Amino acid sequence: MKSVMAVEKGRERRKGFRPRLFTFAAGLYLCALLLAGCTTQQPGETAAEVHRRHVRAMRLNSRMMMSDIDKFLMLDRPSMLSDRRIP
């Protein structure tokens, strides 16, 4: 009977292990994320440079989106009209 009791007690002890392990892993991930410096600006970059970089990224993204929409609607094909006048 002693061996059966030991196995049951071991299972009861492991019930709280998974939530603690998950909490520890989540805390370790957050610490690594904050200490890595991923959320800060690049060194030596002014606020104006950051703003210009963001504006450029938005402009390029909108151009690519419009290009994709034109391809989907088949509006990007060259015109068959002639640039010369027919007499």
Side-chain angles (χ1 to χ4, degrees), residues 8-79:
E8 288 177 1
K9 285 184 181 179
R11 287 182 185 164
E12 288 176 9
R13 239 184 288 147
R14 286 193 305 181
K15 283 184 181 179
F17 180 70
R18 282 191 179 148
R20 276 189 255 155
L21 179 64
F22 178 75
T23 304
F24 177 73
L28 188 64
Y29 174 75
L30 288 174
C31 287
L33 185 67
L34 291 175
L35 293 176
C38 298
T39 58
T40 62
Q41 300 183 36
Q42 297 176 3
E45 193 174 28
T46 65
E49 290 171 337
V50 172
H51 178 69
R52 281 193 296 264
R53 185 167 38 93
H54 289 170
V55 168
R56 181 177 183 270
M58 293 297 292
R59 187 177 63 240
L60 291 176
N61 287 343
S62 64
R63 282 184 187 172
M64 288 189 286
M65 183 178 65
M66 289 305 296
S67 174
D68 291 342
I69 290 172
D70 286 344
K71 285 179 185 176
F72 179 75
L73 296 175
M74 291 188 262
L75 297 174
D76 63 337
R77 296 182 181 193
S79 173

